[in-house]
């Protein structure tokens, strides 16, 4: 169904949306979408940093000094 929508169809949809919502509402909506994407990327970055920190802590050698000398 969506495979049949070409450039003229997309332009018609864009014009209808612009008429219904107005230019100001669409620009504020796109600004909110941009803020959401930025917050999502920041959250993913923070999550990956936490995982790396946890892995670094888990990989630390916790063998007692006496056992390390014997090996």
């Amino acid at each position: 169904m969506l495979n049949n929508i070409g450039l003229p169809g997309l332009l018609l949809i864009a014009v209808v949306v612009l008429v219904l919502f107005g230019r100001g509402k669409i620009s504020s909506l796109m600004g909110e979408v941009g803020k959401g994407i930025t917050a999502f990327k920041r959250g993913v970055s923070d999550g990956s940093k936490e995982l790396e920190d946890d892995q670094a802590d888990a990989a630390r050698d916790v063998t007692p000094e006496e056992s390390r000398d014997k090996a």
Side-chain angles (χ1 to χ4, degrees):
M1 179 177 152
L2 293 177
N3 294 338
N4 296 334
I5 297 176
L7 184 63
L10 291 176
L11 289 175
L12 180 64
I13 292 171
V15 168
V16 169
V17 168
L18 186 62
V19 168
L20 288 177
F21 294 109
R23 184 175 160 247
K25 183 72 173 177
I26 291 174
S27 67
S28 67
L29 180 65
M30 289 298 115
E32 293 297 321
V33 169
K35 288 178 185 177
I37 290 172
T38 302
F40 176 76
K41 287 181 180 180
R42 187 177 305 123
V44 169
S45 174
D46 291 344
S48 64
K49 286 179 185 176
E50 286 181 18
L51 286 175
E52 289 173 2
D53 291 344
D54 289 345
Q55 289 175 352
D57 290 342
R60 198 171 4 136
D61 187 13
V62 293
T63 310
E65 289 291 327
E66 300 85 32
S67 299
R68 277 192 243 164
D69 294 337
K70 293 177 184 177

